[in-house]
Amino acid sequence: MCDSAGGDPSPDPGRYASLFSLGAEQAVAYARFRPMYPERLYDEIYDFAKLPVYEAALDVGTGSGQAALALARRFERVVATDLNERQLAQAPTVENVTYRQGTAETLDFADDTFDLVTIAQALHWFDLRRFYAEATRVLKPHGTLAAWVYERTFFDGNPAANEAMHDILTRKLGPYWADKCDLVHKRYEGAEPTPDEFRVCEMRTVDLTSDTTVANLAGYMSSWSAYNTYMKANPRAEDPLEAFKAAVLASLSGAQDDSVVVRVTTPMHLLLAREPVKN
């Protein structure tokens, strides 16, 4: 899946702006149901970065602050930016985290400010060349950029439930995903910075396995931009999440309601770059 509500959908903001104008209800759903990323993901980032200090990190397209919260446990200071004010209003208050509204392509910070820049599930919305130019500028010479993306969630050992997920993702909502989601489906291959932007670049994958309820999974899916676009375009149509939940429950012997717990795995694909090239 393709979403974060962060960042600037450039180079044509008007084309994507409606995807980022989350109403209060969707912003709450985003904050409540979006996954907290596993510590192993951050371990992979820190292993790659080999930072000499952990003074300052910048989380771009922070949404409701999931990544910023994790960074705050390691860094002395974290700044988190997002285009959407409603998203920022849902972010947790943490002493060493500062939230600021702003776009990815214009980072209002001094040169050589940050040791790490992160982008969780949002890089595909950015104008990559403009963003990378800004990231190399605000990163310190030893700094690292880390962007990650997840495409879909799999039910462990349940082919019927996986088919239901595939059905809603591709058949029902397929036409409602923005074209920039192609980078998500490619797991960010083709989005890498050039050697003129960062000297070292690497791709890694980390699996997030968790236990959740069918209700919470559907709640998370309700924050998808494609789902909300579909519902706006088809106000009288049956809610596709109801059919999805029914299909998943039917695949679980004896399940009566959507509070049943299921085990799911979400592969997260990491784009890592370090040693920014300074002009």
Side-chain angles (χ1 to χ4, degrees):
M1 59 274 326
C2 170
D3 293 326
S4 169
D8 181 1
S10 300
D12 181 4
R15 186 177 180 187
Y16 299 101
S18 63
L19 298 179
F20 298 86
S21 301
L22 275 67
E25 184 175 343
Q26 189 185 356
V28 170
Y30 192 99
R32 179 180 177 187
F33 296 113
R34 286 281 161 151
M36 296 300 291
Y37 304 111
E39 284 300 317
R40 197 156 58 87
L41 181 141
Y42 298 100
D43 290 342
E44 291 286 344
I45 294 171
Y46 302 142
D47 173 72
F48 172 84
K50 297 178 173 57
L51 296 174
V53 294
Y54 290 84
E55 290 178 346
L58 171 65
D59 186 43
V60 183
T62 195
S64 45
Q66 285 91 340
L69 187 64
L71 295 173
R73 295 194 288 269
R74 176 66 71 97
F75 286 84
E76 295 176 23
R77 179 171 64 92
V78 177
V79 182
T81 67
D82 199 276
L83 187 65
N84 190 283
E85 288 182 286
R86 285 198 172 105
Q87 287 279 74
L88 293 174
Q90 297 296 323
T93 300
V94 181
E95 184 178 1
N96 60 333
V97 179
T98 301
Y99 298 100
R100 294 172 59 171
Q101 186 180 22
T103 70
E105 292 79 5
T106 305
L107 300 176
D108 189 19
F109 306 102
D111 296 359
D112 303 336
T113 297
F114 298 102
D115 304 286
L116 176 69
V117 172
T118 59
I119 314 96
Q121 197 73 6
L123 183 69
H124 45 284
W125 296 115
F126 301 170
D127 179 320
L128 293 179
R129 301 282 75 82
R130 288 171 60 199
F131 169 67
Y132 286 145
E134 282 288 84
T136 60
R137 181 183 63 79
V138 302
L139 277 167
K140 298 175 184 178
H142 64 249
T144 286
L145 179 143
W148 59 93
V149 65
Y150 49 96
E151 183 182 8
R152 61 166 294 178
T153 293
F154 296 89
F155 293 84
D156 291 7
N158 191 332
N162 286 327
E163 178 60 27
M165 177 66 79
H166 177 75
D167 183 72
I168 190 171
L169 269 172
T170 61
R171 300 188 186 99
K172 182 64 71 174
L173 300 182
Y176 298 90
W177 293 108
D179 54 1
K180 278 181 171 275
C181 293
D182 287 345
L183 277 177
V184 176
H185 305 320
K186 294 175 182 177
R187 303 171 182 178
Y188 281 177
E189 293 182 8
E192 303 93 336
T194 69
D196 292 331
E197 294 161 331
F198 286 86
R199 292 185 175 86
V200 181
C201 185
E202 186 176 313
M203 303 291 287
R204 299 185 183 186
T205 299
V206 175
D207 287 342
L208 168 59
T209 298
S210 60
D211 294 323
T212 187
T213 66
V214 174
N216 280 349
L217 182 59
Y220 150 66
M221 295 162 69
S222 75
S223 72
W224 292 351
S225 63
Y227 169 77
N228 285 275
T229 302
Y230 173 89
M231 295 301 290
K232 290 175 183 177
N234 303 277
R236 298 179 182 176
E238 180 183 358
D239 185 343
L241 284 178
E242 294 303 318
F244 167 77
K245 289 193 294 183
V248 173
L249 289 174
S251 75
L252 303 170
S253 301
Q256 298 297 315
D257 60 61
D258 59 10
S259 64
V260 64
V261 174
V262 291
R263 173 154 289 193
V264 295
T265 297
T266 304
M268 296 188 173
H269 308 286
L270 259 171
L271 185 162
L272 299 164
R274 68 170 182 256
E275 300 176 30
V277 177
K278 301 289 185 175
N279 294 324

